[in-house]
Amino acid sequence: MMEESGSVPVLEMRGITKHFPGVVANDNVSFNLLKGEVHALLGENGAGKSTLMKILFGFYPPDAGQVFLNGHAVNLTSPAHAIANGICMIHQHFMLVPTLTVAENVALGLRSSRHPLTDLAAVTKRIQQLSDTFGLQVDPLAYVWQLAVGERQRVEIIKALYRDASILILDEPTAVLTPKEVDDLFQILRQMAEAGRSLIFISHKLHEVMALSDRITVLRNGCVTGEANPCDTSRAKLAQMMVGREVKLAPDKPHTQICEPRLEVKDLVVEGDRKTDAVCGLSFQICGGEVLGVAGVSGNGQRELAEAICGLRKPKTGQIKIDGQSVPSGNAKAAREAGLSYVPEERMRDGAIADFNIFENFILLNHGQKRFCRMGFLRFTPIHQHSRTLIDEYTVKTPNLETPAKNLSGGNIQKLILARELSSDPKVLIAAQPTRGVDIGAAEYIHERLSHQRTNGTATLVISEDLDEVLALSDRIAVMFEGRIMGIVNREEASRERIGLMMAGVDPDSPPADYCPSPE
Amino acid sequence: MNNLKTKMISWTIPSCAVLAALIIGAIMLSALGANPIKGFGTMFASAFGNLDGLASTAVKSIPLLLVGIGICIAFRASVINIGGEGQMVMGALLATIMALAFPGLPAIIFIPLVLLVGLIGGAAWGAIPGALKAYFNVSEILSTIMLNIVAVQFMNFMLRGPLIDPGEIERGTRIPQTARLPEATDLPLLLEGARMHLGFLIAVLAAVAAWILLWRTSLGFRLRSVGLNPAAARYAGIPVKRSIIMALAISGAMAGLAGAILVFGSESHRMVTDGSSTGFTGSAGFNGIVVALFAGLHPLWSIPSALLFGGMLVGANALQRAVQVPSALIIALNGLIVVFVVSSEYFKRRVQTVQTDPKVQKTVSDSDKNQESDNLKD
C-alpha cells in the first residue's frame, strides 16, 4: 500500500484551522509530504509550526480541515494513534530515561514479543541492524546517561525507526548539536529519506533548512506565507517570508576605534556546580568598542565564566579588571558598580522576576538611586516615566506598565532586560545567549542594539551556542571547550568549519592556547 | 474584565472554604447534641452583636493582627516565621523589664518607650533565625520553633526569679508574675465603657505601615524581589542575605510589639506565666499565621481577617456558656478553616493559571508581532 504511487502524498493536511482563545494558531493551513522527501517547516516562534505538528501527532483535533494519510482521510485522536499510523515525533527535549540502556529505552512502551517477559536480546539485534543500515553508530547496551547529546538524538531516531515510522517529525533537532554533529545528523536524515521515509524538519535556522530540505513551507502568524525549493530561493527571501518584511541577517558593523582594554580576565579558575573546575585558567581581554564572541557547545564552562565575571560565582583563583580596576570577586553589586551589565542566559530565572510587573522589573537594579527613591520611599512618577521611555525606545510590546513580566513573550522580556541593562551605558556588557528562543524580528533588533553599544565604546562579551550569531556580532571569536579556550581567532579568519572543529575540541593548527591544570 | 473575574475567583474560593469548615463545625456541634444554628448564632451575637462584644473582639484581634502583619512581610520575602510565640514573649519580657526599671516616667513618653522596646526585643529574637538561615543555611522553620521553647523557658525563669513580684515572696505564694506595672504604662481606653484600648489603633496603623513598606518603599521592593525570585535579586545586586535577616527581624518586631501590647493592655497590668507560651500569648503567634494566610498575605486584608478570628475566640467562650460544648471545639473549627483555606489556594491558583496563561500570553505575543511588522513597514 505504501508503494501505491509517487503522485499521492504520504501525508496531506488540508485547510487546517485551529483557534485558541483569543488567537488563531493555524488559519487554513495546507501542507503535504511526499514519499522519500525532507520537507522543512520554517517559521518564527508562535508562527503555528508546533500547533500544526501537534494536530498531526494527535495532541488535539483541528477546528476545521482534514488529515490524509496515503490519500485516506484519518482522524488522529492521540499520539499513540499517530504512532500506530507510522508517524513519529522527535522532540527538542529528548524523551529518554537516562538510567536505562539504549535497548531498554527503545523497548519502553512497546509490547514485548514474549509478553510478559522482556525480549531485549531481540531488540538489541534489531537496533544493531537499523544502526548498520543508517550508519547510526549506537551501542544498544550503553546506558543513556553515558551518551553525548548527539548520540542521544540518534537513540531517538532509532526509536522512531524501530517503530517503523514512515513519517518522522523532527522538532528543531539541531539546537543542541555541534556543527560536526549537525553534519552527521543531516547525512543520516538524507539516508533515511533515500530509503523511502518522509521527514518533516522544523527549524528556524535558515542555512540548515537550505542545506537539508527538498521543499520548504514557511508559516507566519498561523498562515502559509510561501513554499519554496532550496535551489531557487535565498536565505534573505526565506527570512522575508518568515517575518513579513526585509530582514538584516547581520547587523551593520561600523569600524570602531579600539581603545584600551576595558575588561581583563586573568588566570580565571571557576568551580562548576559539580565541584569540578568548569573554567580552567582563562585569560583574555576585551577592548572598548570590541565584541568578543564565545562559541562552544553549552556546558563547556561558558555559564560559569559569565557568572564569575558578573560576581555571581566566586572564582577559585584569578583576577577580573574593569578599566584597569580590580573588581572584588563574588560580589554582584561591586561588579555592577564597576560598570558591568549582564544579560543572563536564563532570562526568567536570573534576568527578570516573573511576578513583578514591567516597571518593577525595570528598577530592579537601580531602585535605590536618588531619582527613584527618596528617604526609602519609591518615587513612582519618575519610575513610570523612566519605564515608559525605555518601553518606547526598545519597542517593548506590553499592554501597560502593570502587566506582570510573565505575560510577555520571550522576545519582549529579552528586550526589557536589554533595555534595563543598557540604560546605564555599561563599560562592560556580558550577553549570554542573547537571542535564544526569540523570534527573528526581536533577534534582529537585539543584534542592532548590541552593535550600537559596541559603537558607544562598550566592551562586549557575547556567549552563544548559535554560531551564526557569534559570527555576525563578533570582532574576535573565542571557542570554549571543556573549560579552556581552544583559541581566539579574528572574525576575518574565522570559518564555520574551523570554529566547528574547535568546538569539538580539535585545534586545527595550533596547540591549546591555555594550559589546564589537572585537578589534584 | 479578566481582572474582575480573577478577583471574584480569589474571593469566592476562600469563602466557600470557610463555609465548608462551618458546615463540618455544624456537624460536630450536632454530634455533641447542640443545635448548630443556635450555637453559631450565639457565637456571632456575642462577638459582633453589641459594643461590649465588639470591643472584646477588637482586643482579641490585636495580637493576631500584629503577628499576621509580620507573617505577611516574612512570607512575602519567602521566609517562614513560626517563631511568633517566642518573639511575642521576648518583646513582652524586654518591655516589662523596661517598665519596671524606670517607674517614674510620664505616660506620654513611657508608653511609646515600652512599646518600642517590645518591638526591638521581638526584632532581635527574629533576627537570630534570620542570620542562621542567611549565613549557615539553617531552616528558619526549625530554628524559629526551637527558639519559641527557649523564649518560654527564659520567661519562666525571669518571672519566677529576678522579675517576680516582691509581694509574692513576702506572702510565700510565689505565683510567677511581676508586680503591678507602673500606671503610666497602662494603655488608655479608646471608648467610654468598653475595654478596647490604644493597642487596636496601633495594630491597624501597623497594618497600613506594613502595606506602605511592602509596596511603597525600596526596602519592601527588595524584600518582595528576594521572595519572588532570589536568583534574579542576587543577579541585580540586591543583598539577599541581609534581606532575609531584615524580613525576619521586621516580622519579629511585629510579634514583639504584640507581646508588649498584651502586657500593658492586660487587665491585671502584670506579666504572668503559667509555664507555657500559650498561657501568655493565647497561641496568637501561631494563629497569626492563619490570619495572614486567610488574608492572602496582604497586611490590609489582615485587619478583617484578624477580627474574624478574634471574634471566633470571643464567640467560643460564649458558646461554651450557652450550649455547654467545650470551647476546644472552636479550636478545632479554627484548624478546619485553616486546612480548608490553605487547600483552597491550590484551586485558586489552578483556576487562575487556566485563566491567564495561554490566553494572555498568546494574545500579547501575537499582537506584538503584528505591531512589530506594522512599525517597520513604513
PDB file of all heavy atoms in Angstrom, chain A residues 313-325:
ATOM      1  N   ARG A 313      29.332  34.082  41.012  1.00  0.00           N
ATOM      2  CA  ARG A 313      30.006  32.837  41.380  1.00  0.00           C
ATOM      3  C   ARG A 313      31.425  33.221  41.748  1.00  0.00           C
ATOM      4  O   ARG A 313      32.080  33.936  41.001  1.00  0.00           O
ATOM      5  CB  ARG A 313      29.996  31.915  40.161  1.00  0.00           C
ATOM      6  CG  ARG A 313      30.323  30.489  40.428  1.00  0.00           C
ATOM      7  CD  ARG A 313      30.282  29.740  39.133  1.00  0.00           C
ATOM      8  NE  ARG A 313      28.945  29.332  38.747  1.00  0.00           N
ATOM      9  CZ  ARG A 313      28.406  28.160  39.067  1.00  0.00           C
ATOM     10  NH1 ARG A 313      29.096  27.296  39.744  1.00  0.00           N
ATOM     11  NH2 ARG A 313      27.199  27.842  38.688  1.00  0.00           N
ATOM     12  N   LYS A 314      31.867  32.758  42.913  1.00  0.00           N
ATOM     13  CA  LYS A 314      33.198  33.160  43.347  1.00  0.00           C
ATOM     14  C   LYS A 314      34.245  32.277  42.688  1.00  0.00           C
ATOM     15  O   LYS A 314      34.217  31.064  42.831  1.00  0.00           O
ATOM     16  CB  LYS A 314      33.296  33.044  44.864  1.00  0.00           C
ATOM     17  CG  LYS A 314      34.340  33.961  45.467  1.00  0.00           C
ATOM     18  CD  LYS A 314      34.207  33.944  46.995  1.00  0.00           C
ATOM     19  CE  LYS A 314      35.440  34.527  47.655  1.00  0.00           C
ATOM     20  NZ  LYS A 314      35.612  35.949  47.426  1.00  0.00           N
ATOM     21  N   PRO A 315      35.155  32.883  41.916  1.00  0.00           N
ATOM     22  CA  PRO A 315      36.177  32.053  41.275  1.00  0.00           C
ATOM     23  C   PRO A 315      37.187  31.546  42.307  1.00  0.00           C
ATOM     24  O   PRO A 315      37.373  32.166  43.350  1.00  0.00           O
ATOM     25  CB  PRO A 315      36.837  33.003  40.278  1.00  0.00           C
ATOM     26  CG  PRO A 315      36.520  34.365  40.755  1.00  0.00           C
ATOM     27  CD  PRO A 315      35.273  34.298  41.561  1.00  0.00           C
ATOM     28  N   LYS A 316      37.821  30.409  41.995  1.00  0.00           N
ATOM     29  CA  LYS A 316      38.824  29.862  42.908  1.00  0.00           C
ATOM     30  C   LYS A 316      40.063  30.756  42.905  1.00  0.00           C
ATOM     31  O   LYS A 316      40.586  31.114  43.944  1.00  0.00           O
ATOM     32  CB  LYS A 316      39.210  28.452  42.458  1.00  0.00           C
ATOM     33  CG  LYS A 316      38.448  27.364  43.184  1.00  0.00           C
ATOM     34  CD  LYS A 316      38.536  26.058  42.452  1.00  0.00           C
ATOM     35  CE  LYS A 316      39.517  25.080  43.038  1.00  0.00           C
ATOM     36  NZ  LYS A 316      39.489  23.806  42.292  1.00  0.00           N
ATOM     37  N   THR A 317      40.518  31.060  41.690  1.00  0.00           N
ATOM     38  CA  THR A 317      41.642  31.981  41.574  1.00  0.00           C
ATOM     39  C   THR A 317      41.396  32.850  40.350  1.00  0.00           C
ATOM     40  O   THR A 317      40.495  32.588  39.567  1.00  0.00           O
ATOM     41  CB  THR A 317      42.978  31.241  41.358  1.00  0.00           C
ATOM     42  OG1 THR A 317      42.823  30.427  40.191  1.00  0.00           O
ATOM     43  CG2 THR A 317      43.354  30.389  42.537  1.00  0.00           C
ATOM     44  N   GLY A 318      42.239  33.847  40.217  1.00  0.00           N
ATOM     45  CA  GLY A 318      42.138  34.678  39.027  1.00  0.00           C
ATOM     46  C   GLY A 318      41.723  36.089  39.344  1.00  0.00           C
ATOM     47  O   GLY A 318      41.329  36.407  40.468  1.00  0.00           O
ATOM     48  N   GLN A 319      41.837  36.920  38.335  1.00  0.00           N
ATOM     49  CA  GLN A 319      41.601  38.328  38.548  1.00  0.00           C
ATOM     50  C   GLN A 319      40.711  38.875  37.442  1.00  0.00           C
ATOM     51  O   GLN A 319      40.826  38.453  36.284  1.00  0.00           O
ATOM     52  CB  GLN A 319      42.937  39.068  38.539  1.00  0.00           C
ATOM     53  CG  GLN A 319      42.874  40.329  39.343  1.00  0.00           C
ATOM     54  CD  GLN A 319      44.217  41.008  39.420  1.00  0.00           C
ATOM     55  OE1 GLN A 319      45.062  40.813  38.558  1.00  0.00           O
ATOM     56  NE2 GLN A 319      44.402  41.825  40.434  1.00  0.00           N
ATOM     57  N   ILE A 320      39.832  39.768  37.811  1.00  0.00           N
ATOM     58  CA  ILE A 320      38.975  40.421  36.828  1.00  0.00           C
ATOM     59  C   ILE A 320      39.139  41.922  37.007  1.00  0.00           C
ATOM     60  O   ILE A 320      39.007  42.439  38.121  1.00  0.00           O
ATOM     61  CB  ILE A 320      37.507  40.016  37.033  1.00  0.00           C
ATOM     62  CG1 ILE A 320      37.330  38.522  36.763  1.00  0.00           C
ATOM     63  CG2 ILE A 320      36.598  40.827  36.122  1.00  0.00           C
ATOM     64  CD1 ILE A 320      36.172  37.919  37.475  1.00  0.00           C
ATOM     65  N   LYS A 321      39.459  42.605  35.904  1.00  0.00           N
ATOM     66  CA  LYS A 321      39.647  44.049  35.990  1.00  0.00           C
ATOM     67  C   LYS A 321      38.707  44.740  35.012  1.00  0.00           C
ATOM     68  O   LYS A 321      38.552  44.294  33.876  1.00  0.00           O
ATOM     69  CB  LYS A 321      41.079  44.424  35.620  1.00  0.00           C
ATOM     70  CG  LYS A 321      42.091  44.180  36.721  1.00  0.00           C
ATOM     71  CD  LYS A 321      43.446  44.686  36.254  1.00  0.00           C
ATOM     72  CE  LYS A 321      44.523  44.432  37.293  1.00  0.00           C
ATOM     73  NZ  LYS A 321      45.832  44.825  36.775  1.00  0.00           N
ATOM     74  N   ILE A 322      38.094  45.808  35.469  1.00  0.00           N
ATOM     75  CA  ILE A 322      37.314  46.642  34.567  1.00  0.00           C
ATOM     76  C   ILE A 322      37.976  48.013  34.521  1.00  0.00           C
ATOM     77  O   ILE A 322      38.182  48.632  35.577  1.00  0.00           O
ATOM     78  CB  ILE A 322      35.847  46.744  35.039  1.00  0.00           C
ATOM     79  CG1 ILE A 322      35.172  45.380  34.887  1.00  0.00           C
ATOM     80  CG2 ILE A 322      35.095  47.802  34.229  1.00  0.00           C
ATOM     81  CD1 ILE A 322      33.757  45.317  35.376  1.00  0.00           C
ATOM     82  N   ASP A 323      38.338  48.448  33.342  1.00  0.00           N
ATOM     83  CA  ASP A 323      39.052  49.713  33.159  1.00  0.00           C
ATOM     84  C   ASP A 323      40.284  49.795  34.053  1.00  0.00           C
ATOM     85  O   ASP A 323      40.539  50.814  34.705  1.00  0.00           O
ATOM     86  CB  ASP A 323      38.118  50.901  33.442  1.00  0.00           C
ATOM     87  CG  ASP A 323      37.366  51.308  32.182  1.00  0.00           C
ATOM     88  OD1 ASP A 323      37.656  50.740  31.109  1.00  0.00           O
ATOM     89  OD2 ASP A 323      36.494  52.181  32.279  1.00  0.00           O
ATOM     90  N   GLY A 324      40.989  48.676  34.160  1.00  0.00           N
ATOM     91  CA  GLY A 324      42.214  48.670  34.942  1.00  0.00           C
ATOM     92  C   GLY A 324      42.018  48.503  36.433  1.00  0.00           C
ATOM     93  O   GLY A 324      42.968  48.276  37.158  1.00  0.00           O
ATOM     94  N   GLN A 325      40.764  48.627  36.882  1.00  0.00           N
ATOM     95  CA  GLN A 325      40.498  48.498  38.313  1.00  0.00           C
ATOM     96  C   GLN A 325      40.095  47.063  38.623  1.00  0.00           C
ATOM     97  O   GLN A 325      39.216  46.501  37.974  1.00  0.00           O
ATOM     98  CB  GLN A 325      39.344  49.423  38.725  1.00  0.00           C
ATOM     99  CG  GLN A 325      39.651  50.906  38.577  1.00  0.00           C
ATOM    100  CD  GLN A 325      40.623  51.374  39.655  1.00  0.00           C
ATOM    101  OE1 GLN A 325      40.442  51.076  40.827  1.00  0.00           O
ATOM    102  NE2 GLN A 325      41.648  52.101  39.231  1.00  0.00           N
TER     103      GLN A 325
END
